[in-house]
Amino acid sequence: MSAAEVTTAARVELAIGGMTCASCAARVERKLNKVDGVTATVNYATEKAQVSYPARVSVDDLKSVVEAAGYSARLPEPEVPETPEEAPRTRLLVSAGLTVPLIALAMVPAWQFAAWPWVSLALAAPVVTWGAWPFHRAAAVNLRHATATMDTLISLGVVASVAWSLYALVFGAGHHLYFEVAAAITTFILAGRYFETRSKRRAGAALRALMDLGARDVTVLRDGQEHLVPIKDLQVGAVFVARPGEKIATDGVIAEGGSAVDTGMLTGEAVPVEVGPGDAVTGATVNVGGRLLVRATRVGADTRLAQMARLVEAAQNGKADVQRLADRVSAVFVPAVVFAALATLVGWLATGGAPDAAFTAAVAVLIIACPCALGLATPTALLVGTGRGAQLGILIKGPEVLESTRRVDTVVLDKTGTVTTGRMALVEGDGEVLRLAGAVEAASEHPIARAIADAARERFGALPAVTEFRSTAGLGVTGVVEGHEVAVGRAVFVGGEPAETEGATTVHVTWGGEVRGRLVVADTIKPTSAQAVAELRELGLTPVLLTGDNAGAARAVAAQAGIGEFVAEVLPEEKVAVVKRLQAQGRVVAMVGDGVNDAAALAQADLGLAMGTGTDAAIEASDLTLVRGDLRVAADAIRLARRTLATIKGNLFWAFAYNVAAVPLAALGLLDPMIAGAAMACSSAFVVSNSLRLRRFR
């Protein structure tokens, strides 16, 4: 593929139909990847293919490749509320209704009247033909394409059981019938597939719930009049109304009004956030207080909610390294099982075993070996883990991220906006000094001035008016308040004695020719940062504080947060060098940041965590996005990722161990085919159920 084609490669998501097991997914993926320039990943659990393709290949070409392999492909349609399909449920219920009396007739000799073998045939016939039709049809398609999947094994087992039984019935060996085995295998596996499908839907429920959070309609304000319009017609810059109890329609900035906003559905945060004019709000959050007028800043696919949904879906459709191993095993497993079944049959006969015992053992090998659990092990855990993360405000960008969380031993924390609030606040000063200084500073836009003015308003309410206001850049401000000429600023500006306060800024206040007092302002640590650092330490991580501030400020914040190591006076472009230096020391580094100047360091780190309150550049460069601006979520994210990875490995161990242990037992004649069918269905159910435990992660 040429360089030009690489740069113009497009991406498409295809919904794949007709897949019944992991082998099917591996087969479709293999066929797509054989097309020159195409890179595809097919996920059995989500039944979707993520395909990157060059300009000379069209989407129709990709569909044709999938269809040539015996499956269907289409562009995904909008999600609709899902209900269990009637056809599979009916097929299962009818098959079960016929199989129960068939098994009872075979297992209870007292009920076996003269013509019972023919009654068994009559009961089994609809089950092994109509009931097992999905397996036979898939096996036939595979045969046409000279390949085999789990359906091939199931179909072979059912057909072989029925064929042997017909032979025994016609030629008089009536006590060696396997009609009930063929029917039971069909029913057990139909039940397994049905409940597997329902479980996969439950596993993906979190993403569907996330997609459903958005508002459907919005009340737009035009020329003072309110108009209800569909959300798709809302444009950037439009002003819309959010009444108490309503969802905020899209991302925006409050133009008028004050309220509390419940962000829990996006961030997991239980306490509503107070907002007012100028504050940013996120679409799909709920206005729980007063009436708000909001100016839309992002709409449609650009909103934070849409971005979250894309990140979650991309993670669910990806594959971890452990899954690729499972795919490789599945690709060769089916031919190996057919060979093992034939070898079992020949082995029994060659050693003088009875033909019916040889046949029973061979069919048991065919049925027990179906590695459906192997194909479900990773994708179901990813579906549930990433979905639960989305509910808690943790977005895992891809499955490969999970491996990184296990190895990380050092976490670099950007100071401003991550460990601290990123806003200056008054930490020392009160009385008349604060009241008059606050009045003067209220006329300034400087962050230190705003901190002093806000503190004065909070303490005294309305502030006195200021006249003759003047600002001297970098030094301070002056103004006349209640007849006093008040100066607020650095010592050199007002004539005070220089005062050093570690990690803070000291402002002197004078009037009447005298220094009346001083105010101390600092970027305050977030209330939860110390607890977050303690939780990160419990996970075996060594925290390192990173800041562009001076060493005094860094030391003060590090001490408050419980961080023993810090790097100060770092320019934005030097943050990458700090991460590289730590990596050169043999450390595996995670980086937590929120600004544009953190993006490169987030990308360089072994694991990048972006605070979702930060910039798009930081979020794009990260591996994990923390929707809430609370550092404790970083510890939760690493715990969830590690738990998801542990679940995947547990699932894979069970799936491998089950097949490794069960196939020899079946080959030795120690497993009845009927029990084998039930065990195979149960193994898939176990894997899915184990994954669903992640929904309870706290």
Side-chain angles (χ1 to χ4, degrees), residues 505-530:
T505 300
T506 301
V507 174
H508 298 265
V509 184
T510 68
W511 66 81
E514 294 181 37
V515 176
R516 305 288 180 164
R518 68 176 193 171
L519 305 171
V520 180
V521 177
D523 178 9
T524 54
I525 187 172
K526 291 180 181 178
T528 57
S529 290

Side-chain angles (χ1 to χ4, degrees), residues 303-474:
T303 63
R304 183 60 57 87
L305 178 64
Q307 186 182 42
M308 286 175 64
R310 281 197 300 274
L311 286 171
V312 174
E313 191 164 23
Q316 293 183 348
N317 283 323
K319 289 188 180 181
D321 289 341
V322 284
Q323 173 65 20
R324 299 191 186 281
L325 171 63
D327 287 347
R328 287 196 294 274
V329 171
S330 293
V332 299
F333 206 88
V334 176
V337 169
V338 174
F339 176 79
L342 289 172
T344 299
L345 181 65
V346 171
W348 273 79
L349 294 174
T351 55
D356 63 312
F359 172 78
T360 301
V363 170
V365 169
L366 282 175
I367 300 306
I368 198 73
C370 291
C372 292
L374 204 59
L376 290 168
T378 298
T380 52
L382 273 177
L383 274 172
V384 184
T386 54
R388 181 60 183 146
Q391 291 174 330
L392 297 173
I394 300 164
L395 306 182
I396 302 172
K397 187 168 281 187
E400 61 283 349
V401 171
L402 303 177
E403 291 284 356
S404 301
T405 62
R406 182 175 58 84
R407 296 180 292 109
V408 164
D409 56 30
T410 301
V411 58
V412 175
L413 305 172
D414 177 57
K415 181 180 79 71
T416 307
T418 301
V419 178
T420 66
T421 61
R423 295 188 303 273
M424 303 298 277
L426 185 75
V427 294
E428 184 183 320
D430 201 354
E432 191 72 355
V433 169
L434 175 60
R435 190 176 75 89
L436 296 185
V440 179
E441 294 283 37
S444 171
E445 289 299 314
H446 193 280
I448 292 176
R450 280 204 302 271
I452 293 171
D454 289 345
R457 287 193 193 95
E458 189 176 324
R459 174 74 176 81
F460 301 104
L463 298 174
V466 61
T467 58
E468 299 180 33
F469 174 81
R470 292 188 308 279
S471 174
T472 305

Side-chain angles (χ1 to χ4, degrees), residues 3 43 46 59 76 79 83 107 176 178 213 256 274 283 301 361 410 455 497 510 575 619 635 668 691 695:
N43 189 307
T46 59
V59 173
E79 291 280 347
T83 55
M107 307 279 282
H176 300 291
Y178 293 98
L213 284 177
E256 186 179 310
E274 295 291 333
T410 301
E497 290 292 325
T510 68
K575 290 185 177 182
I619 292 169
L668 292 170
S691 297
R695 297 171 80 186

